[in-house]
Amino acid sequence: MTTVLAGPVNPEIGAIRHHYEVSNELYRILLGPTMMYSGGYWADGEDRYANHDEGQLRKLDAFIELAGAAGAERVLDIGCGWGTMLDRVTKVHGAKKAVGVTLSRTQADYIEALGNPAVEVRVESWEDHRSDEKYDGAFCINALEHFVLSSLPPKERTKRYGVFFEQVHSLLKPGAGFVLHTMTAERLPLNRQLLDDLKFLQREEFAGCHIPHLSELTAGAEGLFEVREIRNEQLSFADACRVWLRYLAERRDEAVALEGEDVVARFERYLDIFAYTLEDKYFNNFRVVLTRRG
Ligand SMILES: C[S@@+](CC[C@H](N)C(=O)[O-])C[C@H]1O[C@@H](n2cnc3c(N)ncnc32)[C@H](O)[C@@H]1O
């Protein structure tokens, strides 16, 4: 079942749809059959390209275990993309119900077409999500980067991360697991190329999005969640971006026929920026494992 948010579209939502409502066919070319838009877990020396899909599914399985979501009554995925986590946690790991939240109507259509009766998708923002029953576990996988506007003053941004953690806290049962995967920014010296690339990300591809600092997240979670683990997994995301660039190069003509040269060139540029900024450690990609305090 899909619920679609009503009412006028604010600029924040418009910016997300600019990126995520490019056709599902283009995303299929870019991401391959798993339709995961985040990092994977590969063993040292494993061929990322040949084993891309295995790495993505391995990551999902690890997160499900960390959140204690196998066999759960209700699981929430905030920023659920094309529903791969929702589908896997219910079909393979026995969760009875999985609810996903996204702003993208094309993603919701894709999830609907999976035809999984244990999955529900809602087209709404994380802060508008309400549920009569509390969840046993939750995920937010490379979506938090979109949730707070860079135009806000630093104090206001920190408050917004607090609102995010309060919202997730209010939706979970005491003791429930929450696995967050998110990029964070380091305070490193900036060179001209990096500044230009960050401007492109901020102004053209992901307008207004703020990549948080770890301190903003830990301040927001304090008192609400017990932090069980924080790990930096920069290369899991960078390696995935490099594989997607290869997929896109292989089927570039098809991609251009679908969405045009400008869109394809934008994707190529932003994927390369993410890959190198993670490889060069300007950005982190933290896996944060949390337990909701009672
Ligand atoms: C990079 S994708 C990650 C998707 C998925 N978690 C994955 O790993 O494949 C980010 C997701 O966040 C969603 N998103 C962005 N802003 C949102 C908001 N305010 N509320 C809910 N979802 C949002 C997008 O629609 C998209 O599904």
Side-chain angles (χ1 to χ4, degrees):
M1 188 189 85
T2 310
T3 312
V4 178
L5 131 145
V9 170
N10 68 33
E12 206 177 331
I13 296 177
I16 296 300
R17 291 187 173 163
H18 167 74
H19 186 80
Y20 291 104
E21 291 193 355
V22 168
S23 67
N24 286 331
E25 290 77 16
L26 180 79
Y27 276 110
R28 186 82 181 185
I29 290 174
L30 184 71
L31 303 175
T34 56
M35 290 297 264
M36 285 302 301
Y37 207 9
S38 49
Y41 283 174
W42 295 280
D44 285 349
E46 188 175 7
D47 183 335
R48 273 54 176 161
Y49 175 79
N51 299 298
H52 170 267
D53 300 349
E54 290 80 352
Q56 290 290 355
L57 298 180
R58 217 177 271 149
K59 189 266 303 284
L60 292 182
D61 294 344
F63 279 21
I64 289 164
E65 193 180 338
L66 286 164
E73 288 296 319
R74 283 172 75 75
V75 177
L76 176 66
D77 189 9
I78 306 164
C80 63
W82 290 265
T84 314
M85 169 60 98
L86 303 171
D87 205 44
R88 192 155 180 93
V89 74
T90 50
K91 276 199 186 135
V92 177
H93 295 273
K96 295 185 186 57
K97 172 99 188 173
V99 178
V101 173
T102 176
L103 284 177
S104 162
R105 294 159 298 187
T106 46
Q107 290 177 342
D109 291 344
Y110 185 93
I111 295 169
E112 275 291 293
L114 296 175
N116 180 341
V119 164
E120 180 184 342
V121 59
R122 303 213 192 153
V123 180
E124 62 188 2
S125 189
W126 56 270
E127 59 195 312
D128 298 323
H129 184 64
R130 300 287 177 272
S131 173
D132 293 339
E133 291 168 64
K134 304 249 188 229
Y135 292 95
D136 302 287
F139 306 98
C140 182
I141 309 173
N142 290 113
L144 184 69
E145 297 89 325
H146 294 303
F147 292 176
V148 174
L149 285 177
S150 58
S151 55
L152 292 175
K155 269 194 185 159
E156 292 303 312
R157 289 202 305 251
T158 303
K159 270 196 210 155
R160 290 292 289 158
Y161 290 111
V163 171
F164 170 75
F165 284 107
E166 277 163 21
Q167 164 71 337
V168 182
H169 183 270
S170 76
L171 291 165
L172 288 174
K173 292 180 186 163
F178 175 37
V179 180
L180 175 64
H181 222 198
T182 182
M183 290 172 71
T184 69
E186 284 293 323
R187 288 177 219 281
L188 288 177
L190 297 173
N191 59 48
R192 179 166 290 279
Q193 180 63 51
L194 180 61
L195 275 175
D196 284 350
D197 288 343
L198 295 182
K199 255 193 241 164
F200 164 77
L201 288 181
Q202 281 261 317
R203 296 195 183 155
E204 289 183 47
E205 201 49 48
F206 299 102
C209 289
H210 173 65
I211 307 270
H213 293 282
L214 184 60
S215 58
E216 295 177 305
L217 302 184
T218 49
E222 208 172 324
L224 300 171
F225 289 89
E226 180 195 335
V227 179
R228 279 163 40 206
E229 181 201 68
I230 300 184
R231 276 165 64 125
N232 201 349
E233 299 181 326
Q234 283 144 325
L235 290 184
S236 80
F237 202 172
D239 290 353
C241 291
R242 295 270 177 230
V243 172
W244 302 333
L245 279 166
R246 272 182 78 178
Y247 286 166
L248 193 52
E250 282 163 0
R251 296 177 63 189
R252 197 174 195 286
D253 291 349
E254 274 175 78
V256 170
L258 279 168
E259 293 292 339
E261 173 62 33
D262 286 357
V263 171
V264 172
R266 260 172 42 207
F267 271 73
E268 288 169 336
R269 178 159 184 207
Y270 107 78
L271 285 170
D272 182 61
I273 297 172
F274 274 156
Y276 93 76
T277 50
L278 288 158
E279 286 160 356
D280 291 353
K281 303 188 191 308
Y282 291 114
F283 290 136
N284 305 300
N285 190 44
F286 281 113
R287 177 175 96 184
V288 187
V289 182
L290 303 150
T291 300
R292 185 218 194 260
R293 289 188 189 274

